[in-house]
Amino acid sequence: MELCNTKEEIENFVNNWLGKKIVTNHLDNKGIEYLDSQSNFIFIKTGMNIAEFQPAMEKNGVIVGRPFPPYNKWCRLSMAKPEEMENFNTGMDRVLG
């Protein structure tokens, strides 16, 4: 594993980790299943067809990943800045309740 060498790489690593923790803690608190990864994304079982979930989230200012058939009730979510991941949590709560 290559270590972060620059201040920018370290900041990106920390922001990615914080963003993921913000989302996964929220999902854990709501009892929503997800598949974690060692990368900059996770898969979330929304229980809602992605063809409906995507536009609903976009109406809340959040862009989520493309469909991954046959996992049509799952959403691929790429990590972003911590404040953007807070926006995801808010949008998801509005869409899924």
Side-chain angles (χ1 to χ4, degrees), residues 28-86:
D28 289 340
N29 289 337
K30 296 188 71 70
I32 296 175
E33 183 179 357
Y34 61 93
L35 300 176
D36 202 356
S37 75
Q38 300 302 310
S39 184
N40 69 335
F41 69 90
I42 59 174
F43 277 98
I44 302 167
K45 186 173 186 179
T46 64
M48 181 179 193
N49 193 295
I50 190 69
E52 298 168 11
F53 187 72
Q54 276 181 320
M57 289 297 288
E58 191 168 355
K59 286 180 184 174
N60 284 282
V62 179
I63 306 295
V64 296
R66 67 173 178 80
F68 281 86
Y71 304 102
N72 294 321
K73 293 191 176 187
W74 287 76
C75 170
R76 182 189 189 277
L77 178 67
S78 295
M79 296 300 115
K81 295 176 182 175
E83 59 271 18
E84 293 171 313
M85 302 320 298
E86 291 283 2

